[in-house]
Amino acid sequence: MAFMIAQRAYIKLYLISMVEQRRGYGYQMLEELKEEFKPFGYVPPQSEIYRALHELVQEGVLYRTKQLKGNDPSVDFQEIVLYHFTDGGYEKAELYKKQVKVDLDRCIGMLNKAVADNY
């Protein structure tokens, strides 16, 4: 068992929640996560965001669709990739979140013990 939760597992947890809330595409997710964790001094690496999304696609949790970023195809040529749950992907995501919750609870316990024992 790892000392603390793996970064990619942590990121996947947030990405799954963002897809549940239909909150955007890869780059938008990255920017939102950077803003969320800024107060803690953590900047999720762009490469890890895309690796985590790729793994979720490979694991059959998510699938990708492409669309133009803007509403006017004559002006907006930038294509974005949106992520959605596959058939059965939502159930796989829920199971994954339950497994990560167990690991998070273990980490919280270790951190609380370190604070209590040393401060």
Side-chain angles (χ1 to χ4, degrees), residues 40-84:
F40 304 101
Y42 173 64
V43 178
Q46 180 175 344
S47 60
E48 282 300 308
I49 299 292
Y50 287 107
R51 282 186 189 121
L53 284 167
H54 184 71
E55 281 183 12
L56 290 167
V57 168
Q58 283 185 319
E59 294 163 357
V61 176
L62 302 178
Y63 71 95
R64 304 161 25 128
T65 60
K66 293 182 180 182
Q67 76 177 41
L68 293 177
K69 186 175 181 179
N71 295 326
D72 184 356
S74 65
V75 177
D76 301 313
F77 294 108
Q78 184 179 5
E79 199 171 60
I80 58 173
V81 176
L82 299 172
Y83 293 87
H84 317 272

Side-chain angles (χ1 to χ4, degrees), residues 5-21 23 29 33 37 42 48-49 52-53 55-56 59 61-62 85 90 92-105 108:
I5 188 168
Q7 176 178 243
R8 188 151 323 144
Y10 190 80
I11 289 172
K12 281 181 170 181
L13 177 68
Y14 276 88
L15 295 174
I16 288 169
S17 293
M18 292 173 124
V19 172
E20 285 174 338
Q21 299 160 7
R23 285 174 46 203
M29 291 177 188
L33 289 174
F37 295 112
Y42 173 64
E48 282 300 308
I49 299 292
L53 284 167
E55 281 183 12
L56 290 167
E59 294 163 357
V61 176
L62 302 178
F85 288 111
Y90 181 77
K92 289 179 183 178
E94 286 299 306
L95 178 60
Y96 183 79
K97 285 173 67 172
K98 285 179 184 175
Q99 292 168 342
V100 171
K101 174 75 165 84
V102 170
D103 209 16
L104 286 171
D105 288 341
I108 290 167

Side-chain angles (χ1 to χ4, degrees), residues 110-119:
M110 289 176 62
L111 292 169
N112 285 333
K113 178 173 177 31
V115 170
D117 291 352
N118 297 289
Y119 299 97

